Amino acid sequence: MKIIFLGAPGAGKGTQAERVSEKLGIPTISTGAIIREALKAGTEMGLKAKKFIEAGNLVPDDVVIGIVKERLQKSDCDKGYILDGFPRTVPQAEALDAMGITLDRVLSLEVSDETIVERMSGRRVCAKCGKTYHTLYNPSPKGDECECGEPLTVRKDDAPEVVTSRLEVYHSTTEPLKDYYRLKGNLVTVEGAEEVEETTKRTFLALGI
């Protein structure tokens, strides 16, 4: 199966993509991860991306598309794959179509903005051991401290104003993809549940796996 996962940052699509990947035995291709791989391997597209990253600029569409194209040609994609974080825009989706790729499903994981802000702004991380907690769902037994004794911190990306800004970008640039794929007839939506296991059940059901 060839699947795209859509969903706002913090909706939990990475976790669900991982579970589908395990069940079907197909790779999850995350744009961020493959750009880092291409940089490390020094591929032609990786070197192009490096110039933009070093200048502090966003990697342009044509370079991202080139890196995705390189990755999809690897043998582990022969039985299918999951795209997580690509396409982000309608032009990227059109470029994917131009590659001659036929998708089986485009799954949109729906979670309200309020829930996402609550989820992400409640995260606390230990800078020393890397353990992650949540003020509501998984609090540290030591309150503001990690179990290892270090103080817990809020990552910059998890600050409410940053989360809200990221959600605005998602709604304006990525959400139009739902209509794009709805018109093609391969969009399925899943309402994210509070329990991860329940969301997984709904995801498997929507994909027919």
Side-chain angles (χ1 to χ4, degrees):
M1 283 183 89
K2 293 171 186 171
I3 307 163
I4 286 174
F5 266 77
L6 297 176
K13 62 185 185 298
T15 301
Q16 297 308 322
E18 202 176 287
R19 293 184 174 197
V20 173
S21 166
E22 282 172 16
K23 186 167 176 73
L24 296 178
I26 57 176
T28 296
I29 296 166
S30 149
T31 318
I34 62 170
I35 287 175
R36 287 191 292 275
E37 274 175 31
L39 290 170
K40 197 174 172 186
T43 67
E44 183 189 343
M45 286 295 168
L47 294 171
K48 281 187 181 179
K50 191 178 181 183
K51 287 179 188 173
F52 291 98
I53 292 165
E54 285 178 348
N57 297 321
L58 284 174
V59 180
D61 272 6
D62 62 326
V63 178
V64 175
I65 290 156
I67 289 172
V68 170
K69 197 172 183 178
E70 281 179 347
R71 179 65 185 86
L72 296 184
Q73 285 164 355
K74 291 192 176 179
S75 59
D76 65 339
C77 293
D78 289 350
K79 292 179 182 174
Y81 44 80
I82 298 162
L83 289 172
D84 176 9
F86 182 89
R88 283 187 192 273
T89 61
V90 171
Q92 286 185 353
E94 289 168 345
L96 201 58
D97 289 343
M99 288 183 212
I101 289 167
T102 306
L103 297 158
D104 296 291
R105 290 280 188 282
V106 176
L107 187 140
S108 179
L109 187 54
E110 306 287 329
V111 178
S112 73
D113 286 6
E114 294 76 18
T115 302
I116 287 171
V117 172
E118 184 184 84
R119 273 185 192 175
M120 294 179 81
S121 60
R123 279 200 297 212
R124 298 291 182 269
V125 183
C126 174
K128 187 180 179 186
C129 73
K131 192 159 185 180
T132 303
Y133 299 91
H134 194 283
T135 52
L136 289 178
Y137 308 121
N138 179 33
S140 168
K142 289 191 171 184
D144 292 336
E145 285 186 356
C146 178
E147 285 160 280
C148 74
E150 285 292 306
L152 294 171
T153 59
V154 179
R155 291 190 314 194
K156 283 181 187 175
D157 272 6
D158 290 341
E161 62 277 13
V162 177
V163 175
T164 302
S165 171
R166 290 172 70 199
L167 287 169
E168 283 168 8
V169 171
Y170 171 78
H171 291 311
S172 63
T173 62
T174 306
E175 206 159 35
L177 285 169
K178 290 200 287 190
D179 285 335
Y180 181 84
Y181 287 116
R182 192 177 282 115
L183 288 169
K184 287 180 174 290
N186 54 6
L187 181 80
V188 290
T189 58
V190 169
E191 291 292 331
E194 203 166 303
E195 296 294 324
V196 175
E197 297 302 330
E198 178 57 31
T199 304
T200 302
K201 272 187 203 170
R202 294 177 188 182
T203 298
F204 286 3
L205 190 65
L207 294 173
I209 59 174

